[in-house]
């Protein structure tokens, strides 16, 4: 990909801090940001809204057709990216635990993944792209210029989610959150199509026990070494 606009991929399990780090990278470099998880969350959302069953061939066909034609816009704002589906702001609703589970289920389907493939590649372009997901460095952008695999222990990710929900005043159960995270990891890592795993040439960033600033610093060094930060 070096001949064209550069791509940095960030893959890893949910709750490891990828989204925050991808946002920082995008700010430092002024490059576009692809939140590929949001695309799978949109599939989960319309599947739930329309009562689609992944086990019914007719429902799967309709979910695939809708994924191909998906009308989605990412808009950057002060609080990160807003996600619009068919003009409807779904930024918050796609973060619910219900949609997370549905997204993970539908994301395991190869036809759904194929339907979203070209759409994701189309995000690449000048001056560069930060691609956040599970298979960015392995499947979507195998020739990316820098590949990061951002991870953290399941217990730490559960604690972060619990604290996030508590801060929002939402009643949460730590052991249930932990169980859901382990189940989702297991499903994302064991699926046949594009399982969650580091690319052979990825730099592994383990954020367990590290602050966002500490993890950011590690990534900034890798980016600076490639000369993308100019003289700053
Ligand atoms: O990163 P996230 O939590 O928003 O992702 C939502 C779901 O989509 C998650 O279960 C993993 C799946 N996903 C995927 O299979 N491939 C991607 N490139 C991004 C996300």
């Amino acid at each position: 990909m070096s001949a064209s606009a550069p791509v940095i991929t960030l893959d890893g399990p949910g709750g490891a801090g990828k989204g925050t780090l991808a946002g920082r990278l995008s700010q430092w470099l002024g490059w576009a940001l692809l939140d590929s998880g949001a695309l799978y969350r949109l599939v989960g959302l319309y599947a739930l809204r329309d009562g689609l069953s992944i086990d019914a061939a007719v429902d799967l066909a309709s979910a695939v057709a809708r994924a191909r034609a998906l009308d989605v816009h990412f808009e950057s704002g002060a609080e990160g990216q807003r996600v619009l589906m068919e003009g409807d702001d779904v930024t918050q609703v796609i973060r619910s635990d219900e949609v997370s589970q549905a997204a993970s289920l539908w994301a395991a389907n190869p036809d759904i993944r194929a339907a979203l493939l070209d759409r994701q590649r189309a995000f690449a372009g000048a001056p560069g792209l930060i691609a956040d997901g599970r298979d960015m460095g392995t499947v979507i952008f195998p020739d990316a210029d820098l590949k990061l695999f951002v991870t953290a222990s399941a217990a730490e990710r559960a604690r972060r989610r619990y604290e996030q929900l508590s801060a929002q005043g939402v009643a949460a159960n730590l052991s249930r959150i932990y169980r859901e995270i382990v189940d989702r990891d297991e499903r994302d890592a064991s699926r046949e199509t594009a399982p969650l795993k580091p690319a052979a040439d990825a730099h592994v960033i383990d954020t367990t026990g590290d602050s966002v600033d500490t993890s950011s610093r590690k990534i900034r060094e890798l980016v600076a070494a490639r000369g993308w930060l100019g003289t700053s």
Side-chain angles (χ1 to χ4, degrees):
M1 221 142 279
S2 297
S4 51
V7 175
I8 299 177
T9 58
L10 285 98
D11 291 306
K18 251 180 324 136
T20 308
L21 296 168
R24 287 200 177 188
L25 268 169
S26 162
Q27 275 188 344
W28 294 336
L29 297 166
W31 296 2
L33 181 61
L34 165 61
D35 174 5
S36 62
L39 301 178
Y40 292 98
R41 287 174 181 274
L42 294 178
V43 175
L45 177 65
Y46 66 66
L48 283 172
R49 283 184 173 169
D50 295 353
L52 301 178
S53 161
I54 199 163
D55 298 320
V58 61
D59 285 1
L60 176 59
S62 120
V64 168
R66 191 145 173 204
R68 262 198 217 103
L70 200 60
D71 175 13
V72 52
H73 290 283
F74 292 107
E75 282 183 4
S76 42
E79 287 168 25
Q81 275 189 327
R82 291 197 311 133
V83 187
L84 304 176
M85 182 169 76
E86 284 146 17
D88 187 14
D89 188 337
V90 294
T91 314
Q92 294 299 329
V93 68
I94 59 168
R95 299 289 149 198
S96 72
D97 287 334
E98 199 189 7
V99 172
S100 299
Q101 293 298 326
S104 172
L105 181 73
W106 288 87
N109 183 276
D111 297 338
I112 293 286
R113 302 198 74 83
L116 293 174
L117 196 112
D118 289 343
R119 170 178 296 271
Q120 294 175 82
R121 290 193 175 142
F123 276 83
L129 178 70
I130 316 292
D132 167 350
R134 300 293 187 289
D135 60 344
M136 299 295 99
T138 49
V139 176
I140 308 294
F141 300 110
D143 300 326
D145 302 81
L146 174 61
K147 298 181 185 179
L148 304 170
F149 190 83
V150 181
T151 187
S153 71
E156 169 116 356
R157 289 183 284 131
R159 193 183 51 74
R160 288 179 191 166
R161 178 71 180 148
Y162 175 79
E163 283 172 4
Q164 190 184 40
L165 289 170
S166 303
Q168 291 167 359
V170 178
N173 176 317
L174 184 58
S175 55
R176 207 187 108 218
I177 294 174
Y178 176 78
R179 198 61 262 151
E180 283 176 359
I181 283 180
V182 170
D183 285 352
R184 198 144 69 96
D185 281 0
E186 164 69 19
R187 196 155 53 213
D188 291 343
S190 65
R191 67 183 179 214
E192 281 180 25
T193 313
L196 173 65
K197 61 164 193 217
D201 49 350
H203 296 263
V204 177
I205 308 283
D206 188 336
T207 68
T208 311
D210 278 353
S211 67
V212 176
D213 284 342
T214 302
S215 305
S216 295
R217 215 171 303 124
K218 291 179 183 171
I219 293 179
R220 209 176 156 92
E221 279 168 18
L222 292 167
V223 171
R226 282 157 182 79
W228 288 325
L229 286 170
T231 52
S232 64

